[in-house]
Amino acid sequence: MGTYMDEIKFNHYLDCKKCPLWETTTYPGVPTRSLYDNQTISKDKVILFVGQSLGFLENKQGKSFVGYTGQLLTKMIEASGLIDYADVYLSNACKCRPPQGGNETQSNIRACRPYLQDDIDKLRAIYDEVIIFCLGA
């Protein structure tokens, strides 16, 4: 297994202006986070769930997967026993919320790609196995 740490610190890209979404979102550059706040690294595997973009509550709180979909996903993860198998982290391909909850564009996702890749690299530096589970379109 990789190096043990208390938790991984993911960057919050508040000053990001790589695409126009920063102008209409409340919290630009929302960071990847653990399923449970202040989760310690306890397994040699990690599952990273990656959604499309932020919803209304995620944008309001500046935190991925806190709305209805996030609550449902958490219940499904807990019921499946995945938390006994691997540490779990949540992220988004697009780190800002599109206006009126519309769809993000491929250029929005490409602008955020280096941020997501940096988060994946942080996970790969610590865990022996990184499993990425993509959600959405």
Side-chain angles (χ1 to χ4, degrees), residues 69-116:
T69 302
Q71 293 169 24
L72 181 60
L73 177 62
T74 299
K75 288 177 185 176
M76 290 170 45
I77 291 168
E78 290 172 344
S80 71
L82 284 175
I83 54 176
D84 297 327
Y85 172 75
D87 290 338
V88 177
Y89 288 83
L90 309 169
S91 192
N92 294 93
C94 185
K95 305 274 187 189
C96 292
R97 182 172 195 256
Q100 288 82 42
N103 292 324
E104 65 289 327
T105 65
Q106 286 300 312
S107 65
N108 299 141
I109 292 171
R110 277 192 299 275
C112 290
R113 182 62 188 243
Y115 301 145
L116 181 58

Side-chain angles (χ1 to χ4, degrees), residues 10-19 21-23 25-33 54 58-59 62-64 91-97 111-112 115-116 119:
F10 294 101
N11 294 329
H12 194 151
Y13 303 98
L14 289 169
D15 296 329
C16 180
K17 294 181 180 173
K18 289 185 174 187
C19 80
L21 292 182
W22 71 271
E23 297 175 298
T25 194
T26 303
Y27 285 100
V30 171
T32 296
R33 71 176 185 91
L54 307 173
E58 288 78 8
N59 184 49
K63 191 173 173 182
S64 293
S91 192
N92 294 93
C94 185
K95 305 274 187 189
C96 292
R97 182 172 195 256
C112 290
Y115 301 145
L116 181 58
D119 294 347

